[in-house]
Every structure is written in structure tokens, then in C-alpha cells.
Amino acid sequence: KLRKWDGRKRTVHCVTLKMPLLCYELHATCPVSSARAATMTLGPADHRNEVRLPIFMPVGTQGTMKGLTTKQLAATGCRIMLSNTYHLGLRPGPELLEAAGGLHEFMAWKGSILTDSGGFQMVSLLSLAQITEKGVNFRSPHDGSEMLLTPEKSIQLQNSIGADIIMQLDDVVSSLTTGPRVEEAMHRSIRWLDRCIGANANPDSQNVFAIIQGGLDPVLRAQCVAEMVKRDTPGYAIGGLSGGEDKSKFWRVVKQCCELLPKDKPRYLMGVGYAVDLVVCVALGVDMFDCVFPTRTARFGMALVKTGQLNLKGKECADDTSPIDVDCPCETCAHYSRAYLHTLVGREPVACHLLSIHNITYQLQLMRSARQSILDQQFPQFVVKFMVEMYPTKKYPEWAVEALASVTIELPP
């Protein structure tokens, strides 16, 4: 349905069973590109949580953001985070999570949670995994014990975790894989989605998202989208990318999937977190992203800034009393200088903590700025400003130039 909102029309699509479980409200679209600003509302009737899209989701693999408390994470403005089913299933395990009332209660987090199904571990832990139609048999990296992760088991674990969005178990292959294995994985992912939907014990409180597979083959991607859309899940993820494939192929798959997926449901691009990738893929029509990049790079003393990354180990920071970014609202930039952080990096664990706060804030602020520019009908200008600041010499990545040109955003030479 359409209704007026602050002078603009918005599309409101609520996926309902007994209640509006996931509500997707489209507020504005870019008149030039495929970028869109929306709100996704999640959670039970007594605790609804609004997530403003586009959004970057920080990754707390085992129910924690490394070095941060949930109160500190909330202070960054984060409204939704990602955790991993495979790792939580091993430790602390479903029994303890159920006894604690789910992961929200266990980690004292009032925001929303999305859980990965464990499918990515088919690639990251390939040497420890054996894949069959039944599921994936893993050997634990902790103690060597075996764990059979079936679609049903993945959903059962995610039911115990209690995440607001739960991902289907998909058959994940490396984006560099070619040949019949890619098609096999795509068809198996469709079959596994049916099993995941059937296994969801909490359809009135947990949203199952489908994951589009098909490698870099546009025919397989189109087939997969067509079948997944028939299942009418509350949202859709684009999987199987960001694994080292050529960026010129990466953006074309993203664009194709966004064009084929429903316009009234959220689109989630899995495992993507570099700033340029985020901005370009918002232009292509993506709503949601996740990646370990901001916290992982913090552990190496790197701060995310408008021009890319600032190495706080560098000598130029040794006597620099300015903050990482004078415009950043995070607690780190409000209280600590580059020189102070320089003395801590590589020596004190608190350095990782302070840089993680900044880097997560940077990612969230970037998406907030993109969203506001869409609402203001200024998104192309936002993109140009972002790219010129990131590449002051105008030596833009060729793939980004091509991707943006495909949605009629031209960068200055």
C-alpha cells in the first residue's frame, strides 16, 4: 500500500503471520540510480526495533563484538548485528542459550540480531567439512569432534539463538569455482531453503531469509532468484561473492540480483564491508551489508577515514594531537588523539577497543549519510563527493566507475 509520509510516498510491506513480523517501508528511491532508503521493523509486538536502511551490520561471531560491551556497541548507533550459528552452536551451545532465554538476553543486547546459517564455513573451513545432500559434516576446529549441520539443524540452532533474522543453510562454494559444482550448489540451496522453512519452529518471531547462489553465472543466478522468490521469504540475501572474484564480475552479479529481486523486501549482500563497495552497492540497490573488516582492521592499528585507512602505527601520528576524524561523533574521536592511540597500538589491548568503536561508527555513519542523501534526492552528489575524497587524484577503481555508470552516476575526470 502507499501512503503519505513527510511529503513523500512510501511503500509499506509487512510480512505477516499472526502479527507484522517484518515490516519493510520504502521511503524514497534515487531518481537516477537504484539506491533506496527504507525502514525495516523487527521484533515481537512488545519490543519492536526499527532498522534504518541502507545499513551496515557489525559482526560479533560468538555473540560479542571483540573488545566492546553491548552498551558501547549501542552507543555507536548500531541497531542490528550479526552472529554466527556454527560457532555459537559449538560454544556456548543451544542448551545454554535456551536456558538464558536466547542470545539477546545472554549478551544483554536490546537491538536486533541476524544469524548466519553456518554455510560460509563450507568455504572457510573446507578442509574440515564434507558436503552431501543431507548436510555438512564438520570437524570442530576446537576439539576435533564431528558436527552434522543439516538445514533442519541449522534452523534448530538459530531457533535456540532467537535471532530476529535467520539465514537458510545454503550450499556455499568459492566464488572462484567454475563448472558443474556451481550449478549443483545452486539447486541444492533451493532444496535446502524448503527444508529450512519447514523446520522453523518460530515462524511468528523469526524471519527466514533465502540466499541467492549461482556463482558468477548470470543464467544460474536468474534461475535461483526465480525459484527463491516463489518461496516468498521476508527478505533475500545475495551470497557466494566477496571471495576474491574479479570486481568487474562482482558488481554485475549484484546489479542483476537487485534488478530481479522483489522491490518490496530487503536485499542483503553478504560479507561485503569495504567503504567503496558499500557505496557502489547501495547505488545498485542493496539495503544490508555485513563484514568483519572494521573490527579486524582495528586489530592491526588501522582507522577508517574519508581517504581510506589511517595507519596509527605510522611516525606521522606520533605527535599529532588531533582526533582520527574531527567530524566523527564516536567516543574515541571525542576524547583521544592520534598521538595517544599511536602509543597504544601494538602494545595495549585497549587500542583495539578504541579503534573498533571508531571503525564501526565510521561504517554506520557512512550508511546514514547515504540514506539521508537518498531522502534528500541528493544521492548522486553524495557518491561523487565520497569518491573524490577517497581518491583525490581521481584514480578511481575501474570496476567502480563502470558499476556507477551502469546506474547513470558519472564521476568527475
Side-chain angles (χ1 to χ4, degrees):
K1 61 183 179 178
L2 291 174
R3 65 187 180 195
K4 287 287 184 179
W5 176 79
D6 288 350
R8 297 184 180 94
K9 288 185 176 181
R10 65 176 178 178
T11 301
V12 181
H13 179 80
C14 293
V15 180
T16 61
L17 290 166
K18 297 179 181 178
M19 58 172 285
L21 179 55
L22 184 153
C23 189
Y24 180 86
E25 301 180 71
L26 181 62
H27 303 308
T29 56
C30 174
V32 174
S33 71
S34 299
R36 53 199 205 158
T39 299
M40 177 175 64
T41 308
L42 298 162
D46 60 345
H47 184 62
R48 300 292 271 167
N49 183 40
E50 289 189 351
V51 179
R52 295 177 178 178
L53 308 176
I55 191 71
F56 175 81
M57 300 179 288
V59 178
T61 300
Q62 292 196 270
T64 181
M65 209 63 52
K66 289 188 184 298
L68 273 66
T69 66
T70 50
K71 185 176 180 180
Q72 290 170 323
L73 180 61
T76 68
C78 178
R79 303 299 296 271
I80 182 170
M81 62 168 288
L82 183 144
S83 288
N84 183 273
T85 297
Y86 170 77
H87 291 289
L88 287 170
L90 290 175
R91 190 180 62 193
E95 295 81 8
L96 180 55
L97 286 169
E98 287 184 10
L103 185 59
H104 290 84
E105 292 293 326
F106 191 59
M107 64 183 292
W109 173 244
K110 294 182 180 180
S112 298
I113 298 174
L114 180 150
T115 39
D116 185 8
S117 64
F120 177 70
Q121 277 65 46
M122 294 182 202
V123 175
S124 64
L125 299 177
L126 184 60
S127 61
L128 303 176
Q130 188 175 33
I131 305 164
T132 67
E133 185 65 25
K134 188 175 182 179
V136 192
N137 197 38
F138 289 103
R139 277 190 296 111
S140 169
H142 303 297
D143 60 11
S145 61
E146 290 195 352
M147 171 185 178
L148 178 61
L149 187 66
T150 65
E152 294 79 9
K153 180 65 173 178
S154 173
I155 296 299
Q156 181 184 358
L157 289 170
Q158 293 184 83
N159 287 157
S160 298
I161 293 166
D164 303 277
I165 297 175
I166 60 179
M167 303 306 299
Q168 74 153 109
L169 183 66
D170 53 338
D171 187 353
V172 183
V173 296
S174 167
S175 58
L176 303 179
T177 301
T178 58
R181 177 70 182 99
V182 179
E183 183 172 5
E184 175 192 47
M186 183 272 288
H187 287 297
R188 180 173 287 148
S189 294
I190 296 169
R191 295 191 295 271
W192 281 5
L193 173 60
D194 291 332
R195 291 167 61 183
C196 287
I197 293 171
N200 185 13
N202 301 322
D204 58 344
S205 60
Q206 293 182 280
N207 302 276
V208 177
F209 274 29
I211 303 177
I212 309 302
Q213 291 291 350
L216 303 176
D217 187 326
V219 174
L220 295 182
R221 287 282 177 172
Q223 290 177 7
C224 192
V225 170
E227 288 300 317
M228 296 302 200
V229 168
K230 290 178 184 177
R231 276 68 177 175
D232 194 29
T233 57
Y236 298 91
I238 303 169
L241 295 174
S242 196
E245 71 279 358
D246 189 288
K247 281 296 187 71
S248 66
K249 296 179 179 179
F250 160 83
W251 76 259
R252 286 179 169 84
V253 171
V254 174
K255 185 172 189 285
Q256 178 195 15
C257 291
C258 287
E259 289 174 345
L260 295 175
L261 286 168
K263 298 184 183 303
D264 57 358
K265 295 186 180 182
R267 305 167 188 152
Y268 163 32
L269 180 56
M270 306 180 78
V272 170
Y274 295 137
V276 173
D277 296 11
L278 297 179
V279 171
V280 170
C281 290
V282 166
L284 298 178
V286 176
D287 300 304
M288 302 165 63
F289 306 87
D290 83 280
C291 192
V292 298
F293 171 65
T295 47
R296 178 172 289 172
T297 198
R299 297 198 288 276
F300 294 96
M302 306 297 286
L304 304 182
V305 292
K306 295 175 182 178
T307 54
Q309 297 184 44
L310 173 66
N311 183 1
L312 286 156
K313 296 178 182 178
K315 293 180 180 179
E316 66 275 11
C317 293
D319 55 2
D320 188 343
T321 57
S322 64
I324 295 171
D325 183 347
V326 293
D327 297 321
C328 179
C330 79
E331 286 296 303
T332 302
C333 289
H335 299 292
Y336 304 103
S337 68
R338 296 181 179 189
Y340 176 71
L341 295 167
H342 174 82
T343 66
L344 300 179
V345 169
R347 300 179 182 88
E348 301 293 341
V350 72
C352 174
H353 162 89
L354 294 172
L355 288 178
S356 292
I357 289 175
H358 168 78
N359 286 353
I360 290 171
T361 301
Y362 171 87
Q363 300 283 85
L364 295 176
Q365 283 291 108
L366 179 63
M367 292 295 93
R368 288 189 197 105
S369 298
R371 184 180 194 274
Q372 190 60 51
S373 73
I374 299 167
L375 292 172
D376 294 340
Q377 301 292 283
Q378 295 291 312
F379 182 71
Q381 294 90 326
F382 163 81
V383 173
V384 169
K385 181 175 183 292
F386 166 82
M387 293 296 287
V388 169
E389 288 180 335
M390 186 67 69
Y391 302 99
T393 62
K394 310 290 180 65
K395 294 181 179 179
Y396 316 112
E398 185 176 346
W399 73 270
V401 174
E402 293 174 350
L404 292 170
S406 77
V407 287
T408 60
I409 295 180
E410 302 292 337
L411 298 179

